[in-house]
Amino acid sequence: MRPGVIDLNVATLDQYPVIKVLSKSDLTTSQLVLPRRAAEEHIISSMDAHLRERLTGEEKRTHIRVMDDAKNQDYYLTMVDRDHRYSIISWSHVLQNREFREGQRVRFGWFNEKLHFIVDDQQEEEVRKEGKESDKKDREDKEDRGAEDMSKDIMEPAKKKMKRDMAETSSLQQQHEVVDP
């Protein structure tokens, strides 16, 4: 295998060293801003000289291939350098094919002459576990509230009936007292 070429069948998280926590703007605009230092260290430095020169030189932009490894989908996007703030322009093309959420971690790595990305499954699993635990607690709370509500549903009418019966009994007793001198 050629140097710098990675077999995706055995890819590890180490090959995606740049971590981006998605913000609301990442999900609603057409650009994705990468963490500057990590982008310089792990992406820009790994690009071939021609791409790196176009990005960091006078043009401040270059076209790159971006690969969604989970969906095996390839995009042709533009990466720009604005005061060493590296952004992927036309990120909206990726958003059209993926359902990302705010706070989700996406990992990026430059290999095989492309910018590859994956959703951080470890983080996703933690989020799912937290969600399941939260859902379980919510269900238990609902069950507890349901039992309380059911108790109220049963007890409230019974209490009202009991008050009416007591009022009627009291009224009857008063009538008997009036009738019997």
Side-chain angles (χ1 to χ4, degrees):
M1 192 175 297
R2 296 188 337 252
V5 175
I6 293 178
D7 181 358
L8 292 177
N9 294 319
V10 293
T12 65
L13 288 181
D14 295 341
Q15 293 158 317
Y16 304 90
V18 178
I19 298 172
K20 170 66 178 177
V21 178
L22 297 177
S23 67
K24 186 175 182 177
S25 67
D26 296 325
L27 303 174
T28 58
T29 64
S30 64
Q31 74 174 346
L32 176 79
V33 179
L34 294 171
R36 181 183 65 82
R37 197 172 310 237
E40 289 175 340
E41 186 177 332
H42 299 289
I43 296 172
I44 313 306
S45 67
S46 300
M47 290 178 165
D48 71 39
H50 174 71
L51 289 176
R52 189 171 46 250
E53 175 56 34
R54 290 185 69 195
L55 180 62
T56 60
E58 198 172 303
E59 288 184 54
K60 300 287 187 197
R61 65 179 40 235
T62 189
H63 296 291
I64 61 170
R65 305 296 283 173
V66 177
M67 183 71 177
D68 180 345
D69 287 340
K71 292 198 172 251
N72 199 28
Q73 192 154 11
D74 202 10
Y75 302 91
Y76 191 62
L77 305 176
T78 303
M79 190 169 189
V80 298
D81 172 6
R82 294 190 181 120
D83 298 320
H84 298 289
R85 232 178 114 203
Y86 300 99
S87 300
I88 300 170
I89 304 299
S90 301
W91 179 248
S92 56
H93 294 293
V94 176
L95 294 176
Q96 291 171 356
N97 295 305
R98 283 291 233 146
E99 292 185 25
F100 291 116
R101 293 182 316 279
E102 187 175 353
Q104 203 169 24
R105 288 189 339 187
V106 179
R107 299 180 71 107
F108 294 88
W110 185 271
F111 49 91
N112 300 354
E113 301 176 27
K114 295 178 186 176
L115 181 63
H116 292 257
F117 75 88
I118 58 170
V119 173
D120 190 335
D121 287 334
Q122 284 181 315
Q123 184 245 359
E124 282 296 292
E125 186 59 33
E126 290 169 13
V127 167
R128 267 189 241 117
K129 282 181 184 175
E130 287 173 12
K132 285 180 182 176
E133 289 173 11
S134 177
D135 288 348
K136 182 179 177 185
K137 185 171 179 359
D138 287 348
R139 278 194 307 276
E140 289 171 354
D141 288 348
K142 283 181 184 175
E143 287 172 3
D144 289 346
R145 281 194 308 271
E148 289 172 14
D149 291 346
M150 189 172 17
S151 174
K152 285 180 185 175
D153 290 346
I154 293 169
M155 295 303 290
E156 288 303 315
K159 285 180 183 177
K160 286 180 183 175
K161 183 177 182 329
M162 205 163 96
K163 282 182 182 178
R164 276 194 311 261
D165 289 348
M166 288 174 63
E168 285 178 21
T169 303
S170 176
S171 174
L172 286 173
Q173 284 176 345
Q174 287 175 354
Q175 287 176 0
H176 287 307
E177 289 174 8
V178 171
V179 173
D180 294 331

